[in-house]
Amino acid sequence: MILDQSRREFIVTGVGYALAVSPVTAFALTTSGTGLKESNVTIPVGKEKLPAFLAMPVSGTNLPCVLVIQEIFGIHEYIKDVCRRLAKEGYIAIAPSLYFRQGDATKVAEIPKLISTIVSKVDQKQVWADLDATVAWLKLQKNANASKLAITGFCWGGAVTWMYSHHNPQVKAGVAWYGKVSGDATPTHGKFPLDIAADLKVPVLGLYGEKDSGIPLDKVELMKKSLAKGKSGSQIIVYTGAEHGFHADYRPSYHEKSAKDGWAKMIAWFRKYDVGSK
């Protein structure tokens, strides 16, 4: 499907984007809302209300669903536009705000402060519970077919994609964009993708950049070997010349060739596992 998108012709500062990534580059893509319904929704999680951004086609029933997992920067314009792009492909795309108890990541201007005051305090078990609640909410929506469920995420959300696919076997397919595969355990973050790779049941496609300074290629190779020991059919692709954040079109790290190829491979991966029309 050809997406209805246009490039911003000048650098913009802030508008709809997280403060920590301002200014936004001229590469930033915007997807037309024509033919789409988008809204801010709330999802019950116990006595709390989880905020989420939802995008879907204005018509159609029995629509497949995609959980869209944020970068460390929270639910800002880029993540919303990813939801719109998926809605153009025929999906119900929902991005739950997984930091909402810890703070508004879009309002923190310094990345070290963002990590220390918000991201590091987000408990893995809390994330699983919030995503479980999101899936339960999708099952109640009349146009949704939550049995056709996929997940994708970027950076912090890429790691979540691997881990939630292990947590919830209801997920049919996942695509993890440059998610960290290893690290040191903390009270809030007990395991990493390398710890669960061999036991994974859900097929996950991992998309990584050759020049990613934060995710060494030797760790990515270890992830490949660990996945090969299991039976999930998961795969990893490493893009030559691409850095961390190569899909993030609003940042200098954007690598157009890799981003476009990765998107096409993501849609094909979902359809291969019967999430979406073939």
Side-chain angles (χ1 to χ4, degrees):
M1 177 180 292
I2 298 176
L3 302 185
D4 181 8
Q5 295 176 321
S6 61
R7 293 200 183 281
R8 296 176 185 269
E9 296 178 351
F10 51 87
I11 294 177
V12 296
T13 303
V15 182
Y17 290 85
L19 290 180
V21 297
S22 181
V24 175
T25 72
F27 291 108
L29 291 168
T30 56
T31 301
S32 168
T34 302
L36 302 181
K37 175 184 177 182
E38 55 186 86
S39 58
N40 295 307
V41 300
T42 56
I43 296 163
V45 184
K47 295 181 179 180
E48 297 177 298
K49 296 291 186 181
L50 168 67
F53 179 80
L54 178 76
M56 60 185 290
V58 293
S59 61
T61 58
N62 203 40
L63 298 172
C65 303
V66 183
L67 301 172
V68 178
I69 314 300
Q70 65 204 47
E71 311 160 293
I72 64 168
F73 306 114
I75 308 300
H76 64 131
E77 183 55 32
Y78 165 66
I79 295 299
K80 292 179 180 179
D81 205 70
V82 168
C83 290
R84 295 185 193 104
R85 297 173 206 183
L86 284 164
K88 290 280 185 178
E89 300 279 3
Y91 295 96
I92 293 177
I94 188 164
S97 184
L98 299 172
Y99 303 164
F100 83 99
R101 299 173 187 84
Q102 285 72 34
D104 186 351
T106 68
K107 304 301 183 185
V108 181
E110 299 82 25
I111 292 177
K113 183 179 179 181
L114 171 60
I115 293 171
S116 65
T117 61
I118 295 181
V119 181
S120 65
K121 299 182 184 302
V122 180
D123 192 285
Q124 276 188 321
K125 293 181 180 179
Q126 170 191 296
V127 172
W128 309 159
D130 285 348
L131 291 175
D132 286 345
T134 303
V135 174
W137 183 87
L138 285 169
K139 290 179 178 179
L140 299 176
Q141 307 312 303
K142 64 179 182 178
N143 293 332
N145 182 354
S147 68
K148 292 191 174 186
L149 178 69
I151 183 171
T152 192
F154 305 83
C155 182
W156 183 86
V160 170
T161 296
W162 287 110
M163 299 303 295
Y164 189 70
S165 296
H166 179 257
H167 167 81
N168 185 0
Q170 294 178 49
V171 175
K172 301 300 183 186
V175 176
W177 298 79
Y178 33 85
K180 191 175 182 180
V181 299
S182 63
D184 297 323
T186 69
T188 59
H189 200 107
K191 290 186 177 183
F192 290 84
L194 259 175
D195 300 318
I196 56 86
D199 298 323
L200 193 62
K201 301 295 190 295
V202 173
V204 177
L205 177 64
L207 304 175
Y208 289 84
E210 176 198 24
K211 294 184 177 181
D212 192 327
S213 60
I215 306 176
L217 285 180
D218 62 337
K219 297 297 185 183
V220 176
E221 288 302 315
L222 280 176
M223 187 69 180
K224 284 184 180 180
K225 291 177 181 178
S226 295
L227 290 169
K229 295 176 182 177
K231 299 180 179 179
S232 68
S234 297
Q235 298 177 17
I236 286 180
I237 296 172
V238 177
Y239 285 103
T240 302
E243 302 176 30
H244 188 81
F246 64 81
H247 185 268
D249 50 67
Y250 65 97
R251 298 170 68 186
S253 59
Y254 179 57
H255 194 262
E256 184 175 11
K257 181 179 178 181
S258 302
K260 287 183 175 180
D261 187 77
W263 185 269
K265 283 185 167 58
M266 176 180 71
I267 299 301
W269 188 261
F270 289 166
R271 291 173 178 168
K272 177 180 178 180
Y273 293 100
D274 197 29
V275 185
S277 58
K278 291 184 171 59

